[in-house]
């Protein structure tokens, strides 16, 4: 069984996003932190981080390990600390994310923490805007649909979204199946698009991944909420690409149909982003709660 000190060091690296930041948090030298990490990797027989000038990027094994041990390590630390364990959580945390994911998954998962006195304020918006607010210290945590590549921002992979191309059944039946199999872009070109943003971030990614080019289709509507997009698609206004968890109930009910079935469904990773460096206990509490719930959700 791995040494607890090594697990605590691993957790600090994972949360802080770099070995140097973890060393500062733990009050250790960077060589000591490196040594503990190497010993842990040797014990587990797997690499936990990919190191670069930008920091330490966690592997899938690291994310799984952090989700399993994070809250337990914190509970152990709390048991060794005198006083009311919940006092440190009675403060405000500013959280940012897209409206749909926050409403359907992330905020309900945090509801039990309010019993400990937690005060969460939420900012909804697009990933780039939210990451800028995080960088400027206006937010503490951001659930981002794009991987942050900004100095001083660490990112933990949280969960993968599977995307589906859907339309109302009547509109889906207007697609020629023979042409779709041989030349999909022209087969789909008559379908109006219902997009999340003007640059078609989700739709463009799907078309390029599956068909090798941008969609030539006209845009019928731009709505920055995936739940609203689904409602418009159900009403027959056009076609869109949605995470499966958003479209699942409508697909089961038959109010939308899958227009195209890829061999391998396109995925997008949701990242939990935070500023590198020592985190407040309350921020760590939220981060670990979301990582723990992500193990239950599986792929969205």
């Amino acid at each position: 069984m791995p040494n607890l000190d090594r697990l605590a060091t691993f957790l600090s690296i994972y949360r802080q996003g770099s070995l140097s930041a973890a060393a500062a948090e733990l009050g250790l030298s960077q060589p000591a932190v490196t040594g503990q990490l190497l010993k842990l990797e040797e014990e587990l027989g797997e690499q936990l981080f990919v190191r670069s000038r930008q920091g330490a990027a966690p592997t899938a094994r690291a994310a799984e390990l952090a989700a399993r041990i994070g809250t337990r390590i914190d509970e152990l630390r709390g048991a060794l600390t005198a006083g009311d364990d919940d006092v440190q959580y009675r403060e405000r945390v500013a959280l940012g994310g897209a409206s749909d994911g926050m409403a359907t998954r992330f905020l309900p998962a945090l509801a039990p923490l309010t019993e400990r006195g937690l005060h969460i304020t939420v900012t909804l918006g697009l990933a780039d805007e939210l990451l800028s607010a995080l960088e400027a210290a206006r937010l503490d945590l951001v659930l981002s649909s794009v991987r942050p590549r900004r100095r001083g921002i660490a990112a933990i992979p949280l969960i993968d979204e599977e995307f589906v191309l859907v339309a109302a059944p009547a509109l889906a039946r207007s697609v020629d199946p023979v042409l779709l199999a041989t030349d999909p872009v022209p087969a789909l070109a008559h379908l109006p698009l219902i997009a999340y943003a003007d640059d078609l971030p989700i739709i463009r990614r799907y078309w390029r991944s599956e068909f090798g080019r941008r969609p030539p289709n006209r845009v019928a509507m731009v709505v920055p909420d995936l739940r609203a997009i689904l409602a418009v698609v159900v009403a027959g206004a056009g076609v869109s690409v949605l995470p499966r968890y958003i479209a699942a109930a409508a697909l089961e009910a038959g109010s939308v149909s899958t227009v195209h079935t890829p061999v391998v469904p396109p995925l997008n990773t949701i990242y939990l982003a935070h500023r590198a460096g020592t985190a407040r206990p309350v921020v760590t509490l939220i981060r670990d709660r979301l990582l723990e719930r992500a193990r239950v959700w599986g792929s969205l």
Side-chain angles (χ1 to χ4, degrees):
M1 180 176 177
N3 177 284
L4 285 176
D5 286 338
R6 290 170 194 163
L7 290 174
T9 297
F10 154 77
L11 195 61
S12 180
I13 298 169
Y14 186 84
R15 289 170 171 173
Q16 302 306 323
S18 75
L19 275 69
S20 58
E25 180 188 45
L26 297 169
L28 300 173
S29 67
Q30 187 165 333
V33 168
T34 301
Q36 290 199 31
L37 173 60
L38 291 175
K39 287 178 181 176
L40 180 59
E41 289 179 329
E42 183 179 347
E43 288 177 347
L44 298 177
E46 295 184 66
Q47 184 178 4
L48 296 173
F49 296 96
V50 178
R51 278 166 270 178
S52 68
R53 292 180 180 178
Q54 283 71 45
T59 63
R61 177 70 173 100
E64 185 270 336
L65 179 61
R68 281 198 295 114
I69 71 168
T71 53
R72 290 170 173 81
I73 293 290
D74 291 335
E75 286 168 1
L76 181 59
R77 286 171 173 162
L80 299 173
T81 303
D84 182 357
D85 291 342
D86 288 344
V87 168
Q88 61 186 331
Y89 299 131
R90 293 173 189 165
E91 53 184 291
R92 174 183 172 277
V93 178
L95 184 64
S99 58
D100 29 70
M102 296 293 266
T104 56
R105 292 281 183 171
F106 305 130
L107 294 181
L110 298 177
L113 300 184
T114 60
E115 297 176 2
R116 303 179 71 169
L118 190 65
H119 175 196
I120 302 174
T121 61
V122 179
T123 300
L124 305 175
L126 299 176
D128 284 342
E129 300 167 353
L130 296 172
L131 290 171
S132 293
L134 176 64
E135 196 173 25
R138 295 193 300 273
L139 294 175
D140 297 302
L141 285 168
V142 167
L143 289 144
S144 173
S145 59
V146 299
R147 179 169 190 142
R149 301 189 182 278
R150 302 176 183 221
R151 185 178 297 276
I153 300 297
I156 304 169
L158 181 64
I159 202 162
D160 289 328
E161 298 175 309
E162 177 190 334
F163 286 108
V164 289
L165 179 61
V166 294
L171 201 56
R173 288 193 294 270
S174 72
V175 178
D176 182 339
V178 176
L179 185 59
L180 180 64
T182 57
D183 201 356
V185 173
L188 301 170
H190 68 288
L191 300 174
L193 301 178
I194 312 299
Y196 188 84
D198 288 329
D199 61 347
L200 316 180
I202 303 173
I203 294 172
R204 186 183 70 247
R205 185 181 306 162
Y206 189 98
W207 249 254
R208 283 181 169 169
S209 170
E210 296 303 313
F211 313 134
R213 55 171 290 191
R214 288 177 61 99
N217 310 48
R218 74 177 181 88
V219 177
M221 194 177 297
V222 174
V223 190
D225 187 295
L226 297 178
R227 296 161 301 170
I229 289 176
L230 176 61
V232 173
V233 169
V234 169
V239 64
S240 195
V241 177
L242 293 169
R244 182 173 289 279
Y245 79 96
I246 292 287
L251 284 166
E252 186 175 347
S255 52
V256 297
S257 299
T258 302
V259 179
H260 170 258
T261 304
V263 176
V264 179
L267 299 176
N268 183 60
T269 301
I270 300 296
Y271 293 91
L272 189 53
H274 59 95
R275 288 186 299 281
T278 303
R280 290 182 291 149
V282 67
V283 175
T284 297
L285 179 71
I286 290 178
R287 193 165 57 199
D288 288 347
R289 170 66 179 177
L290 290 172
L291 287 167
E292 181 182 25
R293 294 303 302 161
R295 294 177 60 209
V296 177
W297 294 328
S299 292
L300 292 179

